[in-house]
Amino acid sequence: QGSELSGWAMGRWTYEGIDLNHNFADLNTALWDAEDRDLVPHEFPNHYIPIPEYYTLPNATVAPETRAVIDWMQRFPFVLGANLHGGELVVTYPFDMTRSYWKAQELTPTPDDGVFRWLAAVYASANGAMVSGPRRRCHHEDFSSLGNVINGAHWHTVAGSMNDFSYLHTNCFEITVELSCDKFPHESELPTEWGNNREALLLFMEQVHRGIKGVVRDRDTERGIANAIITVEGINHDVRT
């Protein structure tokens, strides 16, 4: 249909009326409540946070697509991810949900804020449309003064986002890329959109090689240890082998 005949909400909801972008379990609230009671990480984990029981009930408002993605994420140890959106030119990073539940916008960084800002900046710095000089604003906001990156909750709060869920339930660090002002580009415009994003996608994927790599082994048998918890001093978010 092209952008001229499609509103911003076109295709946003599933046949059952579920917005997949907000359909993951809210693990943020449980973590922050536990932090406020000084239960983290000794009595409540700071990573691999379990899915609440209410979310697993048969009558829970969870789309089959969402359940399938969660199952996929649990079976494969992804460490880097991005979900691609349209309608704006900016890269957002977790947290997507404000810690103050009554606020629509609030800077809410993760313990790995430096890594997330780096990942977002890597993509934004290589996206042709984001770095072009005389570019038009998509709407009333201009993110170029921020380097075309923003903390998700500082833009607008989203409970149950895939980014927050990935970070808190798995080892995966995930960002959201708003890769074009136009949600519905015409076929003739697709080569330009691909050109704007090709190098950014490749450069982003290369970031999977950053950080510490290796195998955690038993000191006596030298066999690998599954689910060994790795703690980095000063970062209150562990990861697992």
Side-chain angles (χ1 to χ4, degrees):
Q1 288 184 314
S3 57
E4 298 87 351
L5 300 175
S6 301
W8 69 270
M10 178 68 69
R12 187 176 182 92
W13 289 276
T14 66
Y15 179 79
E16 292 124 329
I18 297 175
D19 183 349
L20 298 177
N21 193 42
H22 303 175
N23 195 224
F24 290 82
D26 169 18
L27 305 181
N28 305 53
T29 300
L31 172 65
W32 294 335
D33 286 348
E35 285 182 346
D36 291 341
R37 291 183 288 153
D38 293 326
L39 302 178
V40 179
H42 306 294
E43 297 181 45
F44 191 92
N46 65 8
H47 72 302
Y48 272 50
I49 296 173
I51 297 174
E53 185 178 354
Y54 74 84
Y55 189 85
T56 63
L57 297 175
N59 61 348
T61 308
V62 183
E65 295 93 335
T66 311
R67 294 189 189 277
V69 168
I70 291 174
D71 179 64
W72 190 44
M73 294 160 67
Q74 290 173 334
R75 285 185 293 119
F76 293 92
F78 298 118
V79 295
L80 183 68
N83 52 80
L84 308 181
H85 295 210
E88 191 51 87
L89 281 172
V90 68
V91 183
T92 74
Y93 54 91
F95 286 116
D96 288 331
M97 180 180 175
T98 57
R99 185 156 185 160
S100 303
Y101 69 89
W102 65 88
K103 289 188 177 181
Q105 295 175 309
E106 181 184 46
L107 180 63
T108 312
T110 69
D112 289 287
D113 188 58
V115 176
F116 276 115
R117 286 189 287 109
W118 170 264
L119 293 173
V122 162
Y123 196 102
S125 65
N127 175 281
M130 292 184 192
V131 299
S132 63
R135 83 168 203 224
R136 66 179 176 90
R137 294 184 183 183
C138 293
H139 305 289
H140 64 281
E141 295 175 288
D142 185 1
F143 295 100
S144 59
S145 62
L146 304 174
N148 303 297
V149 302
I150 192 170
N151 172 252
H154 206 191
W155 184 20
H156 59 82
T157 185
V158 172
S161 78
M162 186 172 174
N163 290 353
D164 288 5
F165 181 86
S166 297
Y167 180 65
L168 295 177
H169 186 65
T170 79
N171 278 342
C172 191
F173 283 39
E174 188 161 327
I175 62 173
T176 291
V177 180
E178 300 276 353
L179 47 74
S180 171
C181 290
D182 194 349
K183 274 183 175 287
F184 302 97
H186 292 282
E187 182 181 355
S188 61
E189 297 170 312
L190 292 179
T192 299
E193 297 290 357
W194 171 239
N196 285 336
N197 287 278
R198 177 180 179 273
E199 185 60 31
L201 287 165
L202 292 170
L203 192 62
F204 177 75
M205 286 190 287
E206 289 172 1
Q207 304 313 303
V208 77
H209 298 296
R210 286 190 172 270
I212 297 171
K213 296 192 189 70
V215 178
V216 177
R217 300 183 186 276
D218 183 282
R219 183 170 54 188
D220 298 322
T221 67
E222 294 193 354
R223 297 186 63 178
I225 300 176
N227 291 314
I229 297 175
I230 310 298
T231 298
V232 178
E233 186 175 356
I235 298 179
N236 191 22
H237 181 86
D238 301 334
V239 296
R240 298 192 186 190
T241 59

